[in-house]
């Protein structure tokens, strides 16, 4: 049984003006997401600024999310690291806290070989009993998870069950689904490629756009899965300007700006990320107005 089908939100981590995590606001935006029919909460991923959270904060945010969600939707904890032992530590703690699955980004900066990736993922997955979702985003990590590597991991490691694919390479995704014989839970990691990946056997998206439009993204996926491919395709194409605007600067700069425009008061970003440029904010605001989400 799939961890989830539909649109899971790669949720932001709200901050106070002084840079501390705003746990009260996190509870509010989690409730907004559940009310908006989001299908899963993905906590402490890239969009959640996990790279600038201490290990203690990282785990505190995961625990808070799990407690707030209270099993109403699945919680997938981002516990990846470029250090295998750190990923094992975070994953064990997330399992103990009650997460439903973990999301493991490829090791960044040190750029492991494919052999190294197999060893890394096998060690982390074997340290827990939770389902594992791999996360391939070479534009950020400098490390590509090859289809043959994914196929080997899915074949040999029982609890590696899914992948968030954000390579942007549709041919690579097709090869991945061919080599795994479709026996993997495929989630788009790019909001502008949801329908193309659904057409290759995908079952959903782990979405940045869902932070500002959870029901829209949920409906787009569900239309496709329910057989309304034309309706889903129209929603995908209509959302392209918003997708582009939310990635015109490094994620999560634009999405936090968008949520603050919506009055959600998710606060600033942690350095070295900076606030969105005024001209880009103006463009984003106009697109959100056009879509009726502002």
């Amino acid at each position: 049984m799939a961890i989830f089908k539909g649109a899971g939100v790669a949720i932001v981590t709200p901050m106070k003006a002084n840079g501390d995590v705003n746990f009260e606001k996190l509870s509010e935006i989690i409730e907004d997401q559940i009310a908006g029919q989001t299908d899963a909460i993905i906590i402490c991923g890239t969009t959640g600024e996990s790279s600038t959270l201490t290990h203690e904060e990282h785990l505190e945010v995961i625990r808070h999310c799990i407690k707030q969600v209270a099993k109403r939707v699945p919680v997938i904890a981002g516990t990846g690291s470029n250090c295998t032992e750190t990923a094992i530590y975070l994953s064990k703690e997330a399992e103990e806290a009650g997460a439903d699955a973990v999301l493991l980004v490829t090791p960044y900066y040190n750029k492991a070989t494919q052999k190294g990736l197999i060893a890394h993922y096998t060690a982390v997955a074997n340290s827990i009993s939770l389902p594992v979702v791999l996360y391939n985003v070479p534009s950020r990590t400098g490390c590509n998870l090859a289809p043959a590597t994914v196929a080997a991991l899915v074949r040999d490691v029982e609890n590696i069950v899914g992948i968030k694919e954000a390579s942007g390479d549709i041919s690579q995704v097709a090869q991945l689904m061919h080599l795994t014989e479709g026996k993997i839970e495929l989630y788009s990691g790019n909001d502008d490629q949801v329908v193309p990946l659904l057409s290759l056997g995908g079952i959903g998206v782990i979405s940045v756009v869902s932070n500002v439009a959870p029901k829209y993204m949920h409906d787009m996926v569900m239309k496709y899965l329910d057989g309304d491919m034309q309706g889903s395709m129209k929603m995908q194409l209509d959302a392209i300007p918003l997708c582009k605007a939310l990635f015109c600067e490094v994620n999560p700069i634009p999405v936090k700006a968008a949520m603050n425009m919506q009055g959600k008061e998710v606060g600033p970003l942690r350095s070295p990320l900076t606030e969105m440029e005024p001209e880009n904010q103006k463009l984003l605001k106009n697109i959100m107005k056009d879509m009726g989400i502002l």
Side-chain angles (χ1 to χ4, degrees):
M1 185 175 180
I3 300 165
F4 78 94
K5 292 184 178 182
V9 61
I11 202 165
V12 303
T13 300
M15 304 287 182
K16 297 178 181 178
N18 66 359
D20 290 346
V21 175
N22 189 335
F23 288 99
E24 182 179 352
K25 189 59 63 174
L26 179 59
S27 293
E28 287 181 22
I29 63 173
I30 288 170
E31 290 304 318
D32 286 345
Q33 284 293 318
I34 293 173
Q37 293 184 265
T38 206
D39 296 291
I41 307 285
I42 294 80
I43 190 77
C44 288
T46 305
T47 311
E49 296 179 77
S50 57
S51 60
T52 51
L53 298 175
T54 66
H55 290 166
E56 292 76 15
E57 287 175 321
H58 193 132
L59 292 172
E60 191 175 0
V61 170
I62 289 171
R63 293 182 187 116
H64 183 91
C65 178
I66 291 166
K67 184 177 180 181
Q68 185 69 38
V69 171
K71 296 296 181 183
R72 287 174 289 173
V73 296
V75 173
I76 302 174
T79 56
S81 173
N82 63 340
C83 170
T84 303
E85 289 304 316
T86 299
I88 288 172
Y89 165 68
L90 293 173
S91 298
K92 284 182 173 180
E93 292 293 321
E95 180 171 38
E96 186 174 332
D100 296 289
V102 297
L103 179 71
L104 299 178
V105 69
T106 51
Y108 37 87
Y109 188 74
N110 42 13
K111 297 173 71 173
T113 63
Q114 298 302 305
K115 180 180 177 181
L117 291 174
I118 289 174
H120 171 81
Y121 279 120
T122 301
V124 180
N126 284 343
S127 74
I128 57 175
S129 59
L130 290 178
V132 170
V133 180
L134 309 175
Y135 180 16
N136 189 36
V137 58
S139 64
R140 292 194 79 120
T141 64
C143 180
N144 184 48
L145 192 55
T149 301
V150 177
L153 287 165
V154 170
R155 181 189 67 231
D156 297 337
V157 186
E158 184 177 2
N159 59 328
I160 294 179
V161 299
I163 186 166
K164 176 184 177 183
E165 236 299 338
S167 67
D169 186 340
I170 299 297
S171 295
Q172 175 167 304
V173 178
Q175 177 71 350
L176 161 68
M177 296 304 279
H178 167 68
L179 292 178
T180 60
E181 298 178 338
K183 296 174 182 175
I184 188 169
E185 296 166 19
L186 172 64
Y187 300 101
S188 176
N190 293 324
D191 285 293
D192 61 348
Q193 293 184 341
V194 181
V195 171
L197 264 66
L198 292 175
S199 75
L200 293 172
I203 58 173
V205 57
I206 294 177
S207 171
V208 174
V209 172
S210 285
N211 280 283
V212 295
K215 189 174 188 306
Y216 188 97
M217 296 304 291
H218 165 85
D219 288 350
M220 184 172 75
V221 176
M222 288 308 172
K223 276 182 182 291
Y224 191 98
L225 296 180
D226 290 341
D228 183 6
M229 297 176 187
Q230 288 295 319
S232 178
M233 180 185 68
K234 184 179 187 309
M235 293 184 75
Q236 174 77 90
L237 296 177
D238 287 348
I240 292 298
L242 179 61
C243 295
K244 291 190 65 162
L246 287 176
F247 287 90
C248 70
E249 294 185 28
V250 174
N251 180 48
I253 291 174
V255 73
K256 271 198 158 179
M259 294 176 77
N260 286 330
M261 289 175 199
Q262 290 179 318
K264 293 179 180 175
E265 299 177 356
V266 296
L269 302 121
R270 281 194 175 174
S271 182
L273 297 184
T274 55
E275 296 303 312
M276 194 176 189
E277 295 297 326
E279 62 270 23
N280 289 333
Q281 288 199 42
K282 183 178 179 181
L283 173 67
L284 175 59
K285 183 179 290 187
N286 288 336
I287 290 169
M288 291 171 67
K289 286 179 178 176
D290 288 344
M291 285 194 68
I293 57 174
L294 186 63

